[in-house]
Amino acid sequence: MSEARIAERVARESYGRLLALLAARTRDVAAAEDALAEAFAAALKAWPHTGAPDNPEAWLFAAAKRKLIDSARRAKTAALGEAEIVRGIEELEAEMSAEKAPDHRLGLMFACAHPAIDENVRTPLMLQAVLGFSAERIAAAFLVEPAAMGQRLVRAKKKIRDAGVGFDVPPAEEWAERFDAVLDAIYAAYGVGWSDPLGADPERRGLAEEAIWLGRVLAAQLPDEPEVLGLLALMHHLEARRVARRGADGRYVPLTEQDVALWRHDEIVEAERLLHAAARMGRIGRYQLEGAIQSAHAARAFERETDWDAVVTLYEALAQLTGSPVAHLNVAAATARRDGAAQALTALGALVERFPALQSYQPYWALRADLCAKLGRVDDARAAYDEAIARERDAAVIRFLSEQRKSLA
């Protein structure tokens, strides 16, 4: 393996671990990033001539440590003196040289999800801090101007430093809020990758895979947390159907019409293993329920039909647990499959009175259009399709909705 490939592998596997280690004492993520970037640049320059060291991670840590200390000396930080920074780095060096160096990535994830950090920047911050994504790549994936994303990330790192946000796992009274934010940030990263089913966008391509990797890191550090396994199971189930979501010509294929032969059975098997492991812990949560819903859909690959009764029951449990209008909407959609369009349309009417904001949500109008079409209410179906099309950005979905509208008698 070439030295460049070794550096690339170490970057992939160790970037977040090294960054968390370097920033754990100084709480200055930006300074740690700069030091680590210089260390990687030095490695790419030196290793082709000297050969890669036996322990590339330790080499990079030592190089970054020197850069960080030099930076502290130049900055002459008032609040955190040079001597304290040096002492902290020396303590970390001792930890690094131990047989099993500590892994602070979990603390780094919790720092990125701290309540002091704006909710909209938690996922981008985690992608940059733990995975080393550039601000430009994150901006492109999240459809934000690079300069704006760069500013958000800089402000977030400054907030961590100035607020003294720790890199330790929070105490019990703060655990629930912060833990949920970490899971949500990982799932949001997966969602960005999931929204590019063909993998045609280079900025979003691979983001789903990276989110799953982050989930595995979290599961390795929190093996007794069933919601981590539930989140991983959910992502694996969705990933199993990635290819089937689009036809050969790029057209959108609804879940119920997908060719199950295209579903990846290895992903389904892994998802089921994770769900069963989570269930044995006896603490149900949102992600386990969402994973179980996808599991019920996946049963079609083996039993040739979906257990809609199970899907309705699971969505009802999810709606009760989260109070989410989207979960309630999915109850109505599943009810249509189980009990028919008339009953579902009645439920949909009651739902939109309870949650008026659903009228700005494309899936609400798409569901209403489908139910009206099934009941022969053609004019209502056309109007609902128009509303759905107006709220959709995915060209393949717009094409699908437009074809459905044209097919109305």
Side-chain angles (χ1 to χ4, degrees), residues 3-292:
E3 282 68 20
R5 290 285 296 168
I6 291 174
E8 181 182 337
R9 179 181 58 79
V10 172
R12 171 70 170 74
E13 297 175 354
S14 305
Y15 181 88
R17 216 164 75 83
L18 287 170
L19 181 71
L21 196 60
L22 289 164
R25 300 298 170 89
T26 64
R27 297 178 180 176
D28 191 337
V29 176
E33 282 179 335
D34 290 343
L36 200 51
E38 290 188 47
F40 273 106
L44 289 173
K45 184 177 181 181
W47 292 358
H49 302 289
T50 63
D54 293 337
N55 188 337
E57 194 172 84
W59 191 100
L60 286 164
F61 173 80
K65 178 202 70 174
R66 290 192 295 272
K67 304 289 184 186
L68 198 57
I69 292 174
D70 290 344
S71 175
R73 283 172 176 156
R74 288 195 300 271
K76 296 180 180 176
T77 308
L80 190 60
E82 174 198 330
E84 187 174 343
I85 290 176
V86 172
R87 184 168 57 253
I89 296 297
E90 287 174 348
E91 289 172 359
L92 287 174
E93 188 171 28
E95 293 178 3
M96 187 71 182
S97 61
E99 184 175 348
K100 185 173 179 57
D103 191 338
H104 291 279
R105 280 179 297 186
L106 180 59
L108 182 59
M109 290 186 194
F110 272 104
C112 294
H114 191 277
I117 305 299
D118 189 293
E119 189 174 336
N120 293 329
V121 80
R122 290 173 185 168
T123 298
L125 183 60
M126 196 177 293
L127 289 173
Q128 186 167 76
V130 183
L131 296 177
F133 280 25
S134 69
E136 290 75 16
R137 183 181 176 190
I138 296 170
F142 283 80
L143 305 178
V144 174
E145 288 296 322
M149 179 58 76
Q151 290 170 358
R152 291 181 194 174
L153 291 166
V154 168
R155 284 197 295 271
K157 291 169 200 170
K158 189 172 184 295
K159 180 88 74 174
I160 288 176
R161 185 191 64 195
D162 295 348
V165 173
F167 280 56
D168 299 320
V169 176
E173 62 271 20
E174 299 175 18
W175 171 262
E177 180 186 7
R178 301 272 297 278
F179 180 56
D180 288 347
V182 170
L183 296 181
D184 292 347
I186 293 173
Y187 191 44
Y190 182 82
V192 174
W194 174 252
S195 64
D196 180 36
L198 293 178
D201 184 342
E203 303 305 340
R204 289 186 287 169
R205 188 171 54 213
L207 207 53
E209 180 185 340
E210 298 290 359
I212 291 174
W213 185 78
L214 275 178
R216 287 182 181 141
V217 170
L218 200 59
Q221 300 209 1
L222 298 173
D224 299 324
E225 281 299 327
E227 275 295 86
V228 178
L229 302 184
L231 172 61
L232 262 177
L234 170 61
M235 293 190 291
H236 277 294
H237 264 309
L238 294 175
E239 202 61 19
R241 302 199 288 266
R242 174 176 290 276
V243 174
R245 295 173 64 208
R246 292 290 188 270
D249 58 354
R251 67 183 173 83
Y252 167 72
V253 183
L255 172 59
T256 53
E257 297 176 19
Q258 289 175 10
D259 180 357
V260 297
L262 297 176
W263 292 358
R264 285 185 54 182
H265 284 210
D266 58 332
E267 293 276 4
I268 294 174
V269 168
E270 176 63 6
E272 292 299 301
R273 184 190 70 77
L274 291 163
L275 273 181
H276 287 142
R280 285 196 292 272
M281 298 179 195
R283 285 176 285 140
I284 196 69
R286 170 202 162 183
Y287 286 111
Q288 291 172 76
L289 284 171
E290 292 202 35

